[in-house]
Amino acid sequence: MFPAVLVSGIFLTALADTTEGRVACAVYTLSACLLFGVSALYHRGNWGPRATAVLRRLDHANIFLIIAGTYTPLTILLLPDGTREALLWAVWGAAIAGIAFRVLWVGAPRWLYTPCYIAMGWAAVFFLPDFMRAGGVAVLVLVIAGGLLYSAGGVIYALKRPNPSPRFFGFHEVFHSFTLAAFVTHYVSILLIAL
């Protein structure tokens, strides 16, 4: 997914209508590249215990980063001044706190940190009317659909179910499938508002 995210992110950033939109899309692209790049390294490599621990911390911390990174173009391009700044400060503050939490306590139980991801992701629920006014029905539906897909993936990750074929396609792969679908859905919503 990393090469696809890099290419599509460069396309999105280069074609955004405004300088503000290009900066917001660049933040989104960087956060996505970090998420998918580090995740690929962590899951595909055969690392020693120390490298595995570092990559695991970064992999989990990057989930907070992609949430804030996704909020950035949605907030900057869809919300009015004042509201925009308040949401960006709140989301990036939560991301920094979440990153510190996951880096400093890598062994935290799933039931504790997974709801943090989901709660941070759904902070936008209070701004959905603004998203609809500025972006239209299609953008609103895509934002909600992406949020539902990410949330479903989070629940699957937390419960470790369904686990159809633990050896070949277990709960972790199901979780990643939902994450990919959610990312694509949000990418399309950002593409619609940035161009």
Side-chain angles (χ1 to χ4, degrees):
M1 189 67 180
F2 174 77
V5 168
L6 179 62
V7 171
S8 62
I10 290 171
F11 171 80
L12 175 66
T13 302
L15 295 181
D17 278 347
T18 64
T19 301
E20 194 174 55
R22 285 189 289 280
V23 170
C25 290
V27 168
Y28 171 64
T29 298
L30 179 61
S31 68
C33 286
L34 286 170
L35 175 84
F36 289 108
V38 168
S39 185
L41 282 173
Y42 173 53
H43 289 94
R44 304 304 292 163
N46 188 10
W47 309 104
R50 181 174 229 172
T52 297
V54 168
L55 287 170
R56 181 174 181 215
R57 281 180 167 90
L58 294 174
D59 185 47
H60 289 201
N62 279 334
I63 296 170
F64 286 108
L65 190 63
I66 189 66
I67 295 169
T70 303
Y71 267 109
T72 300
L74 292 171
T75 301
I76 287 174
L77 298 173
L78 294 175
L79 296 181
D81 287 340
T83 305
R84 171 190 319 174
E85 289 78 8
L87 182 57
L88 280 176
W89 276 107
V91 167
W92 279 100
I96 291 166
I99 289 166
F101 167 61
R102 292 306 296 139
V103 167
L104 297 174
W105 190 13
V106 76
R110 271 177 215 254
W111 61 264
L112 181 59
Y113 63 81
T114 302
C116 294
Y117 297 139
I118 293 172
M120 185 180 162
W122 281 101
V125 74
F126 303 107
F127 302 92
L128 291 179
D130 292 315
F131 285 10
M132 167 118 163
R133 262 191 303 280
V137 175
V139 168
L140 179 68
V141 168
L142 288 165
V143 167
I144 292 171
L148 290 171
L149 288 165
Y150 274 128
S151 297
V155 169
I156 289 164
Y157 180 79
L159 298 176
K160 299 183 179 183
R161 291 196 182 355
N163 198 20
S165 177
R167 187 169 175 195
F168 298 106
F169 198 83
F171 82 91
H172 201 87
E173 289 74 25
V174 174
F175 154 70
H176 279 286
S177 297
F178 274 84
T179 300
L180 293 176
F183 176 81
V184 169
T185 305
H186 279 165
Y187 176 86
V188 173
S189 72
I190 293 167
L191 185 68
L192 289 175
I193 61 172
L195 303 183

PDB file of all heavy atoms in Angstrom, residues 54-91:
ATOM      1  N   VAL A  54      10.763  -1.301  18.775  1.00  0.00           N
ATOM      2  CA  VAL A  54      10.734   0.082  18.266  1.00  0.00           C
ATOM      3  C   VAL A  54       9.692   0.208  17.157  1.00  0.00           C
ATOM      4  O   VAL A  54       8.873   1.141  17.155  1.00  0.00           O
ATOM      5  CB  VAL A  54      12.125   0.512  17.759  1.00  0.00           C
ATOM      6  CG1 VAL A  54      12.055   1.817  16.979  1.00  0.00           C
ATOM      7  CG2 VAL A  54      13.097   0.633  18.926  1.00  0.00           C
ATOM      8  N   LEU A  55       9.702  -0.721  16.214  1.00  0.00           N
ATOM      9  CA  LEU A  55       8.751  -0.661  15.104  1.00  0.00           C
ATOM     10  C   LEU A  55       7.307  -0.813  15.591  1.00  0.00           C
ATOM     11  O   LEU A  55       6.397  -0.170  15.056  1.00  0.00           O
ATOM     12  CB  LEU A  55       9.079  -1.714  14.054  1.00  0.00           C
ATOM     13  CG  LEU A  55      10.312  -1.416  13.206  1.00  0.00           C
ATOM     14  CD1 LEU A  55      10.697  -2.619  12.359  1.00  0.00           C
ATOM     15  CD2 LEU A  55      10.081  -0.183  12.329  1.00  0.00           C
ATOM     16  N   ARG A  56       7.107  -1.648  16.589  1.00  0.00           N
ATOM     17  CA  ARG A  56       5.748  -1.818  17.132  1.00  0.00           C
ATOM     18  C   ARG A  56       5.264  -0.512  17.741  1.00  0.00           C
ATOM     19  O   ARG A  56       4.119  -0.096  17.537  1.00  0.00           O
ATOM     20  CB  ARG A  56       5.736  -2.930  18.176  1.00  0.00           C
ATOM     21  CG  ARG A  56       4.360  -3.166  18.753  1.00  0.00           C
ATOM     22  CD  ARG A  56       4.347  -4.363  19.676  1.00  0.00           C
ATOM     23  NE  ARG A  56       3.008  -4.558  20.183  1.00  0.00           N
ATOM     24  CZ  ARG A  56       2.737  -4.985  21.385  1.00  0.00           C
ATOM     25  NH1 ARG A  56       3.708  -5.309  22.210  1.00  0.00           N
ATOM     26  NH2 ARG A  56       1.495  -5.121  21.781  1.00  0.00           N
ATOM     27  N   ARG A  57       6.137   0.158  18.503  1.00  0.00           N
ATOM     28  CA  ARG A  57       5.774   1.446  19.097  1.00  0.00           C
ATOM     29  C   ARG A  57       5.403   2.449  18.001  1.00  0.00           C
ATOM     30  O   ARG A  57       4.394   3.145  18.092  1.00  0.00           O
ATOM     31  CB  ARG A  57       6.931   2.002  19.915  1.00  0.00           C
ATOM     32  CG  ARG A  57       7.079   1.385  21.272  1.00  0.00           C
ATOM     33  CD  ARG A  57       8.276   2.025  21.997  1.00  0.00           C
ATOM     34  NE  ARG A  57       8.277   1.694  23.401  1.00  0.00           N
ATOM     35  CZ  ARG A  57       8.871   0.632  23.919  1.00  0.00           C
ATOM     36  NH1 ARG A  57       9.516  -0.212  23.132  1.00  0.00           N
ATOM     37  NH2 ARG A  57       8.826   0.415  25.209  1.00  0.00           N
ATOM     38  N   LEU A  58       6.236   2.525  16.982  1.00  0.00           N
ATOM     39  CA  LEU A  58       5.976   3.469  15.889  1.00  0.00           C
ATOM     40  C   LEU A  58       4.714   3.101  15.113  1.00  0.00           C
ATOM     41  O   LEU A  58       3.937   3.982  14.744  1.00  0.00           O
ATOM     42  CB  LEU A  58       7.186   3.522  14.947  1.00  0.00           C
ATOM     43  CG  LEU A  58       8.464   4.109  15.540  1.00  0.00           C
ATOM     44  CD1 LEU A  58       9.617   3.969  14.554  1.00  0.00           C
ATOM     45  CD2 LEU A  58       8.264   5.557  15.950  1.00  0.00           C
ATOM     46  N   ASP A  59       4.511   1.815  14.876  1.00  0.00           N
ATOM     47  CA  ASP A  59       3.324   1.355  14.151  1.00  0.00           C
ATOM     48  C   ASP A  59       2.059   1.782  14.884  1.00  0.00           C
ATOM     49  O   ASP A  59       1.132   2.334  14.277  1.00  0.00           O
ATOM     50  CB  ASP A  59       3.387  -0.169  13.990  1.00  0.00           C
ATOM     51  CG  ASP A  59       2.255  -0.722  13.147  1.00  0.00           C
ATOM     52  OD1 ASP A  59       1.993  -0.163  12.061  1.00  0.00           O
ATOM     53  OD2 ASP A  59       1.643  -1.725  13.557  1.00  0.00           O
ATOM     54  N   HIS A  60       2.010   1.544  16.176  1.00  0.00           N
ATOM     55  CA  HIS A  60       0.818   1.892  16.954  1.00  0.00           C
ATOM     56  C   HIS A  60       0.667   3.400  17.116  1.00  0.00           C
ATOM     57  O   HIS A  60      -0.447   3.921  17.084  1.00  0.00           O
ATOM     58  CB  HIS A  60       0.859   1.206  18.309  1.00  0.00           C
ATOM     59  CG  HIS A  60       0.639  -0.271  18.217  1.00  0.00           C
ATOM     60  ND1 HIS A  60       0.222  -1.029  19.284  1.00  0.00           N
ATOM     61  CD2 HIS A  60       0.779  -1.144  17.190  1.00  0.00           C
ATOM     62  CE1 HIS A  60       0.109  -2.299  18.914  1.00  0.00           C
ATOM     63  NE2 HIS A  60       0.457  -2.385  17.645  1.00  0.00           N
ATOM     64  N   ALA A  61       1.776   4.119  17.280  1.00  0.00           N
ATOM     65  CA  ALA A  61       1.720   5.571  17.410  1.00  0.00           C
ATOM     66  C   ALA A  61       1.235   6.226  16.122  1.00  0.00           C
ATOM     67  O   ALA A  61       0.519   7.236  16.156  1.00  0.00           O
ATOM     68  CB  ALA A  61       3.099   6.116  17.792  1.00  0.00           C
ATOM     69  N   ASN A  62       1.591   5.645  14.984  1.00  0.00           N
ATOM     70  CA  ASN A  62       1.197   6.226  13.699  1.00  0.00           C
ATOM     71  C   ASN A  62      -0.300   6.177  13.457  1.00  0.00           C
ATOM     72  O   ASN A  62      -0.812   6.901  12.598  1.00  0.00           O
ATOM     73  CB  ASN A  62       1.937   5.542  12.547  1.00  0.00           C
ATOM     74  CG  ASN A  62       3.334   6.087  12.383  1.00  0.00           C
ATOM     75  OD1 ASN A  62       3.617   7.227  12.740  1.00  0.00           O
ATOM     76  ND2 ASN A  62       4.222   5.275  11.854  1.00  0.00           N
ATOM     77  N   ILE A  63      -1.024   5.365  14.197  1.00  0.00           N
ATOM     78  CA  ILE A  63      -2.481   5.360  14.054  1.00  0.00           C
ATOM     79  C   ILE A  63      -3.029   6.709  14.510  1.00  0.00           C
ATOM     80  O   ILE A  63      -3.909   7.288  13.858  1.00  0.00           O
ATOM     81  CB  ILE A  63      -3.114   4.182  14.826  1.00  0.00           C
ATOM     82  CG1 ILE A  63      -2.642   2.863  14.218  1.00  0.00           C
ATOM     83  CG2 ILE A  63      -4.644   4.282  14.821  1.00  0.00           C
ATOM     84  CD1 ILE A  63      -3.005   1.629  15.014  1.00  0.00           C
ATOM     85  N   PHE A  64      -2.493   7.242  15.613  1.00  0.00           N
ATOM     86  CA  PHE A  64      -2.916   8.572  16.047  1.00  0.00           C
ATOM     87  C   PHE A  64      -2.524   9.619  15.006  1.00  0.00           C
ATOM     88  O   PHE A  64      -3.269  10.564  14.745  1.00  0.00           O
ATOM     89  CB  PHE A  64      -2.291   8.923  17.405  1.00  0.00           C
ATOM     90  CG  PHE A  64      -2.907   8.198  18.553  1.00  0.00           C
ATOM     91  CD1 PHE A  64      -2.217   7.182  19.196  1.00  0.00           C
ATOM     92  CD2 PHE A  64      -4.175   8.516  18.998  1.00  0.00           C
ATOM     93  CE1 PHE A  64      -2.782   6.515  20.275  1.00  0.00           C
ATOM     94  CE2 PHE A  64      -4.750   7.852  20.067  1.00  0.00           C
ATOM     95  CZ  PHE A  64      -4.060   6.840  20.704  1.00  0.00           C
ATOM     96  N   LEU A  65      -1.367   9.434  14.396  1.00  0.00           N
ATOM     97  CA  LEU A  65      -0.893  10.376  13.388  1.00  0.00           C
ATOM     98  C   LEU A  65      -1.801  10.387  12.157  1.00  0.00           C
ATOM     99  O   LEU A  65      -2.142  11.457  11.641  1.00  0.00           O
ATOM    100  CB  LEU A  65       0.545  10.021  12.996  1.00  0.00           C
ATOM    101  CG  LEU A  65       1.282  11.033  12.133  1.00  0.00           C
ATOM    102  CD1 LEU A  65       1.444  12.349  12.877  1.00  0.00           C
ATOM    103  CD2 LEU A  65       2.644  10.480  11.753  1.00  0.00           C
ATOM    104  N   ILE A  66      -2.223   9.209  11.670  1.00  0.00           N
ATOM    105  CA  ILE A  66      -3.085   9.182  10.478  1.00  0.00           C
ATOM    106  C   ILE A  66      -4.464   9.774  10.776  1.00  0.00           C
ATOM    107  O   ILE A  66      -5.074  10.407   9.914  1.00  0.00           O
ATOM    108  CB  ILE A  66      -3.206   7.759   9.866  1.00  0.00           C
ATOM    109  CG1 ILE A  66      -3.924   7.799   8.490  1.00  0.00           C
ATOM    110  CG2 ILE A  66      -3.966   6.823  10.780  1.00  0.00           C
ATOM    111  CD1 ILE A  66      -3.205   8.505   7.406  1.00  0.00           C
ATOM    112  N   ILE A  67      -4.941   9.605  12.003  1.00  0.00           N
ATOM    113  CA  ILE A  67      -6.231  10.206  12.352  1.00  0.00           C
ATOM    114  C   ILE A  67      -6.122  11.728  12.263  1.00  0.00           C
ATOM    115  O   ILE A  67      -6.942  12.385  11.612  1.00  0.00           O
ATOM    116  CB  ILE A  67      -6.704   9.751  13.748  1.00  0.00           C
ATOM    117  CG1 ILE A  67      -6.976   8.246  13.756  1.00  0.00           C
ATOM    118  CG2 ILE A  67      -7.966  10.521  14.165  1.00  0.00           C
ATOM    119  CD1 ILE A  67      -7.184   7.654  15.145  1.00  0.00           C
ATOM    120  N   ALA A  68      -5.099  12.297  12.901  1.00  0.00           N
ATOM    121  CA  ALA A  68      -4.910  13.749  12.853  1.00  0.00           C
ATOM    122  C   ALA A  68      -4.587  14.209  11.429  1.00  0.00           C
ATOM    123  O   ALA A  68      -5.066  15.254  10.982  1.00  0.00           O
ATOM    124  CB  ALA A  68      -3.799  14.171  13.814  1.00  0.00           C
ATOM    125  N   GLY A  69      -3.798  13.414  10.714  1.00  0.00           N
ATOM    126  CA  GLY A  69      -3.468  13.765   9.337  1.00  0.00           C
ATOM    127  C   GLY A  69      -4.683  13.781   8.432  1.00  0.00           C
ATOM    128  O   GLY A  69      -4.788  14.628   7.535  1.00  0.00           O
ATOM    129  N   THR A  70      -5.610  12.883   8.649  1.00  0.00           N
ATOM    130  CA  THR A  70      -6.848  12.852   7.850  1.00  0.00           C
ATOM    131  C   THR A  70      -7.746  14.028   8.206  1.00  0.00           C
ATOM    132  O   THR A  70      -8.385  14.620   7.332  1.00  0.00           O
ATOM    133  CB  THR A  70      -7.596  11.522   8.075  1.00  0.00           C
ATOM    134  OG1 THR A  70      -6.731  10.434   7.736  1.00  0.00           O
ATOM    135  CG2 THR A  70      -8.852  11.442   7.229  1.00  0.00           C
ATOM    136  N   TYR A  71      -7.793  14.362   9.482  1.00  0.00           N
ATOM    137  CA  TYR A  71      -8.586  15.522   9.901  1.00  0.00           C
ATOM    138  C   TYR A  71      -8.078  16.814   9.269  1.00  0.00           C
ATOM    139  O   TYR A  71      -8.858  17.739   9.041  1.00  0.00           O
ATOM    140  CB  TYR A  71      -8.531  15.687  11.420  1.00  0.00           C
ATOM    141  CG  TYR A  71      -9.640  15.019  12.161  1.00  0.00           C
ATOM    142  CD1 TYR A  71      -9.401  13.889  12.935  1.00  0.00           C
ATOM    143  CD2 TYR A  71     -10.937  15.517  12.111  1.00  0.00           C
ATOM    144  CE1 TYR A  71     -10.414  13.281  13.635  1.00  0.00           C
ATOM    145  CE2 TYR A  71     -11.961  14.916  12.810  1.00  0.00           C
ATOM    146  CZ  TYR A  71     -11.692  13.791  13.574  1.00  0.00           C
ATOM    147  OH  TYR A  71     -12.706  13.190  14.260  1.00  0.00           O
ATOM    148  N   THR A  72      -6.786  16.899   9.019  1.00  0.00           N
ATOM    149  CA  THR A  72      -6.197  18.167   8.591  1.00  0.00           C
ATOM    150  C   THR A  72      -6.831  18.716   7.312  1.00  0.00           C
ATOM    151  O   THR A  72      -7.350  19.840   7.327  1.00  0.00           O
ATOM    152  CB  THR A  72      -4.667  18.044   8.489  1.00  0.00           C
ATOM    153  OG1 THR A  72      -4.158  17.695   9.790  1.00  0.00           O
ATOM    154  CG2 THR A  72      -4.026  19.339   8.031  1.00  0.00           C
ATOM    155  N   PRO A  73      -6.854  17.993   6.186  1.00  0.00           N
ATOM    156  CA  PRO A  73      -7.503  18.579   5.009  1.00  0.00           C
ATOM    157  C   PRO A  73      -9.017  18.711   5.163  1.00  0.00           C
ATOM    158  O   PRO A  73      -9.609  19.683   4.673  1.00  0.00           O
ATOM    159  CB  PRO A  73      -7.140  17.618   3.869  1.00  0.00           C
ATOM    160  CG  PRO A  73      -6.752  16.344   4.527  1.00  0.00           C
ATOM    161  CD  PRO A  73      -6.219  16.715   5.875  1.00  0.00           C
ATOM    162  N   LEU A  74      -9.650  17.764   5.845  1.00  0.00           N
ATOM    163  CA  LEU A  74     -11.096  17.875   6.047  1.00  0.00           C
ATOM    164  C   LEU A  74     -11.431  19.134   6.824  1.00  0.00           C
ATOM    165  O   LEU A  74     -12.361  19.877   6.472  1.00  0.00           O
ATOM    166  CB  LEU A  74     -11.631  16.636   6.779  1.00  0.00           C
ATOM    167  CG  LEU A  74     -11.585  15.322   5.998  1.00  0.00           C
ATOM    168  CD1 LEU A  74     -11.929  14.148   6.898  1.00  0.00           C
ATOM    169  CD2 LEU A  74     -12.509  15.366   4.789  1.00  0.00           C
ATOM    170  N   THR A  75     -10.673  19.400   7.860  1.00  0.00           N
ATOM    171  CA  THR A  75     -10.919  20.568   8.709  1.00  0.00           C
ATOM    172  C   THR A  75     -10.582  21.864   7.989  1.00  0.00           C
ATOM    173  O   THR A  75     -11.379  22.804   7.970  1.00  0.00           O
ATOM    174  CB  THR A  75     -10.089  20.453  10.005  1.00  0.00           C
ATOM    175  OG1 THR A  75     -10.468  19.242  10.668  1.00  0.00           O
ATOM    176  CG2 THR A  75     -10.325  21.620  10.929  1.00  0.00           C
ATOM    177  N   ILE A  76      -9.412  21.903   7.375  1.00  0.00           N
ATOM    178  CA  ILE A  76      -8.970  23.142   6.724  1.00  0.00           C
ATOM    179  C   ILE A  76      -9.856  23.491   5.529  1.00  0.00           C
ATOM    180  O   ILE A  76     -10.169  24.652   5.298  1.00  0.00           O
ATOM    181  CB  ILE A  76      -7.485  23.030   6.316  1.00  0.00           C
ATOM    182  CG1 ILE A  76      -6.629  23.127   7.581  1.00  0.00           C
ATOM    183  CG2 ILE A  76      -7.087  24.095   5.300  1.00  0.00           C
ATOM    184  CD1 ILE A  76      -5.151  22.901   7.376  1.00  0.00           C
ATOM    185  N   LEU A  77     -10.283  22.487   4.795  1.00  0.00           N
ATOM    186  CA  LEU A  77     -11.049  22.754   3.575  1.00  0.00           C
ATOM    187  C   LEU A  77     -12.560  22.821   3.780  1.00  0.00           C
ATOM    188  O   LEU A  77     -13.271  23.320   2.906  1.00  0.00           O
ATOM    189  CB  LEU A  77     -10.703  21.701   2.513  1.00  0.00           C
ATOM    190  CG  LEU A  77      -9.239  21.693   2.075  1.00  0.00           C
ATOM    191  CD1 LEU A  77      -8.950  20.521   1.161  1.00  0.00           C
ATOM    192  CD2 LEU A  77      -8.856  23.018   1.419  1.00  0.00           C
ATOM    193  N   LEU A  78     -13.057  22.355   4.916  1.00  0.00           N
ATOM    194  CA  LEU A  78     -14.511  22.312   5.102  1.00  0.00           C
ATOM    195  C   LEU A  78     -15.054  23.175   6.236  1.00  0.00           C
ATOM    196  O   LEU A  78     -16.242  23.484   6.244  1.00  0.00           O
ATOM    197  CB  LEU A  78     -14.972  20.862   5.329  1.00  0.00           C
ATOM    198  CG  LEU A  78     -14.797  19.905   4.155  1.00  0.00           C
ATOM    199  CD1 LEU A  78     -15.188  18.489   4.568  1.00  0.00           C
ATOM    200  CD2 LEU A  78     -15.608  20.360   2.954  1.00  0.00           C
ATOM    201  N   LEU A  79     -14.219  23.549   7.177  1.00  0.00           N
ATOM    202  CA  LEU A  79     -14.733  24.279   8.338  1.00  0.00           C
ATOM    203  C   LEU A  79     -14.383  25.761   8.264  1.00  0.00           C
ATOM    204  O   LEU A  79     -13.342  26.144   7.729  1.00  0.00           O
ATOM    205  CB  LEU A  79     -14.176  23.681   9.629  1.00  0.00           C
ATOM    206  CG  LEU A  79     -14.591  22.246   9.946  1.00  0.00           C
ATOM    207  CD1 LEU A  79     -13.987  21.803  11.277  1.00  0.00           C
ATOM    208  CD2 LEU A  79     -16.102  22.095   9.971  1.00  0.00           C
ATOM    209  N   PRO A  80     -15.244  26.590   8.856  1.00  0.00           N
ATOM    210  CA  PRO A  80     -14.964  28.031   8.880  1.00  0.00           C
ATOM    211  C   PRO A  80     -13.872  28.365   9.895  1.00  0.00           C
ATOM    212  O   PRO A  80     -13.584  27.586  10.805  1.00  0.00           O
ATOM    213  CB  PRO A  80     -16.309  28.642   9.300  1.00  0.00           C
ATOM    214  CG  PRO A  80     -17.003  27.563  10.066  1.00  0.00           C
ATOM    215  CD  PRO A  80     -16.544  26.261   9.455  1.00  0.00           C
ATOM    216  N   ASP A  81     -13.280  29.549   9.736  1.00  0.00           N
ATOM    217  CA  ASP A  81     -12.272  30.023  10.700  1.00  0.00           C
ATOM    218  C   ASP A  81     -12.850  29.985  12.098  1.00  0.00           C
ATOM    219  O   ASP A  81     -14.043  30.174  12.297  1.00  0.00           O
ATOM    220  CB  ASP A  81     -11.849  31.460  10.362  1.00  0.00           C
ATOM    221  CG  ASP A  81     -10.973  31.528   9.126  1.00  0.00           C
ATOM    222  OD1 ASP A  81     -10.382  30.497   8.764  1.00  0.00           O
ATOM    223  OD2 ASP A  81     -10.884  32.614   8.529  1.00  0.00           O
ATOM    224  N   GLY A  82     -12.003  29.776  13.060  1.00  0.00           N
ATOM    225  CA  GLY A  82     -12.431  29.674  14.448  1.00  0.00           C
ATOM    226  C   GLY A  82     -12.738  28.229  14.785  1.00  0.00           C
ATOM    227  O   GLY A  82     -12.066  27.612  15.615  1.00  0.00           O
ATOM    228  N   THR A  83     -13.724  27.675  14.126  1.00  0.00           N
ATOM    229  CA  THR A  83     -14.066  26.264  14.312  1.00  0.00           C
ATOM    230  C   THR A  83     -12.918  25.396  13.829  1.00  0.00           C
ATOM    231  O   THR A  83     -12.544  24.418  14.470  1.00  0.00           O
ATOM    232  CB  THR A  83     -15.346  25.910  13.527  1.00  0.00           C
ATOM    233  OG1 THR A  83     -16.383  26.802  13.922  1.00  0.00           O
ATOM    234  CG2 THR A  83     -15.782  24.493  13.778  1.00  0.00           C
ATOM    235  N   ARG A  84     -12.367  25.770  12.698  1.00  0.00           N
ATOM    236  CA  ARG A  84     -11.247  25.029  12.100  1.00  0.00           C
ATOM    237  C   ARG A  84     -10.075  24.931  13.061  1.00  0.00           C
ATOM    238  O   ARG A  84      -9.541  23.858  13.306  1.00  0.00           O
ATOM    239  CB  ARG A  84     -10.837  25.753  10.814  1.00  0.00           C
ATOM    240  CG  ARG A  84      -9.584  25.279  10.180  1.00  0.00           C
ATOM    241  CD  ARG A  84      -9.110  26.190   9.069  1.00  0.00           C
ATOM    242  NE  ARG A  84     -10.189  26.680   8.239  1.00  0.00           N
ATOM    243  CZ  ARG A  84     -10.048  27.575   7.291  1.00  0.00           C
ATOM    244  NH1 ARG A  84      -8.871  28.099   7.033  1.00  0.00           N
ATOM    245  NH2 ARG A  84     -11.073  27.972   6.581  1.00  0.00           N
ATOM    246  N   GLU A  85      -9.666  26.057  13.611  1.00  0.00           N
ATOM    247  CA  GLU A  85      -8.515  26.077  14.500  1.00  0.00           C
ATOM    248  C   GLU A  85      -8.780  25.266  15.771  1.00  0.00           C
ATOM    249  O   GLU A  85      -7.906  24.543  16.253  1.00  0.00           O
ATOM    250  CB  GLU A  85      -8.131  27.518  14.868  1.00  0.00           C
ATOM    251  CG  GLU A  85      -7.513  28.297  13.729  1.00  0.00           C
ATOM    252  CD  GLU A  85      -8.530  28.817  12.700  1.00  0.00           C
ATOM    253  OE1 GLU A  85      -9.760  28.708  12.939  1.00  0.00           O
ATOM    254  OE2 GLU A  85      -8.089  29.310  11.655  1.00  0.00           O
ATOM    255  N   ALA A  86      -9.995  25.382  16.315  1.00  0.00           N
ATOM    256  CA  ALA A  86     -10.331  24.650  17.545  1.00  0.00           C
ATOM    257  C   ALA A  86     -10.230  23.139  17.324  1.00  0.00           C
ATOM    258  O   ALA A  86      -9.649  22.418  18.145  1.00  0.00           O
ATOM    259  CB  ALA A  86     -11.740  25.032  18.006  1.00  0.00           C
ATOM    260  N   LEU A  87     -10.782  22.658  16.212  1.00  0.00           N
ATOM    261  CA  LEU A  87     -10.732  21.222  15.949  1.00  0.00           C
ATOM    262  C   LEU A  87      -9.307  20.757  15.666  1.00  0.00           C
ATOM    263  O   LEU A  87      -8.883  19.710  16.167  1.00  0.00           O
ATOM    264  CB  LEU A  87     -11.656  20.839  14.791  1.00  0.00           C
ATOM    265  CG  LEU A  87     -11.713  19.344  14.461  1.00  0.00           C
ATOM    266  CD1 LEU A  87     -12.137  18.513  15.674  1.00  0.00           C
ATOM    267  CD2 LEU A  87     -12.650  19.077  13.285  1.00  0.00           C
ATOM    268  N   LEU A  88      -8.556  21.538  14.895  1.00  0.00           N
ATOM    269  CA  LEU A  88      -7.170  21.146  14.608  1.00  0.00           C
ATOM    270  C   LEU A  88      -6.330  21.074  15.883  1.00  0.00           C
ATOM    271  O   LEU A  88      -5.569  20.118  16.069  1.00  0.00           O
ATOM    272  CB  LEU A  88      -6.524  22.109  13.614  1.00  0.00           C
ATOM    273  CG  LEU A  88      -6.875  21.894  12.151  1.00  0.00           C
ATOM    274  CD1 LEU A  88      -6.242  22.978  11.290  1.00  0.00           C
ATOM    275  CD2 LEU A  88      -6.444  20.519  11.678  1.00  0.00           C
ATOM    276  N   TRP A  89      -6.455  22.061  16.750  1.00  0.00           N
ATOM    277  CA  TRP A  89      -5.708  22.028  18.012  1.00  0.00           C
ATOM    278  C   TRP A  89      -6.109  20.819  18.841  1.00  0.00           C
ATOM    279  O   TRP A  89      -5.256  20.130  19.418  1.00  0.00           O
ATOM    280  CB  TRP A  89      -5.938  23.314  18.813  1.00  0.00           C
ATOM    281  CG  TRP A  89      -5.037  24.436  18.387  1.00  0.00           C
ATOM    282  CD1 TRP A  89      -5.398  25.539  17.674  1.00  0.00           C
ATOM    283  CD2 TRP A  89      -3.635  24.567  18.638  1.00  0.00           C
ATOM    284  NE1 TRP A  89      -4.301  26.347  17.461  1.00  0.00           N
ATOM    285  CE2 TRP A  89      -3.205  25.770  18.046  1.00  0.00           C
ATOM    286  CE3 TRP A  89      -2.695  23.781  19.296  1.00  0.00           C
ATOM    287  CZ2 TRP A  89      -1.894  26.217  18.106  1.00  0.00           C
ATOM    288  CZ3 TRP A  89      -1.380  24.219  19.358  1.00  0.00           C
ATOM    289  CH2 TRP A  89      -0.987  25.422  18.761  1.00  0.00           C
ATOM    290  N   ALA A  90      -7.406  20.551  18.919  1.00  0.00           N
ATOM    291  CA  ALA A  90      -7.887  19.417  19.724  1.00  0.00           C
ATOM    292  C   ALA A  90      -7.384  18.094  19.163  1.00  0.00           C
ATOM    293  O   ALA A  90      -6.889  17.236  19.913  1.00  0.00           O
ATOM    294  CB  ALA A  90      -9.418  19.430  19.774  1.00  0.00           C
ATOM    295  N   VAL A  91      -7.479  17.925  17.853  1.00  0.00           N
ATOM    296  CA  VAL A  91      -7.102  16.655  17.237  1.00  0.00           C
ATOM    297  C   VAL A  91      -5.588  16.437  17.289  1.00  0.00           C
ATOM    298  O   VAL A  91      -5.127  15.337  17.629  1.00  0.00           O
ATOM    299  CB  VAL A  91      -7.635  16.589  15.786  1.00  0.00           C
ATOM    300  CG1 VAL A  91      -7.012  15.451  15.026  1.00  0.00           C
ATOM    301  CG2 VAL A  91      -9.135  16.440  15.797  1.00  0.00           C
TER     302      VAL A  91
END
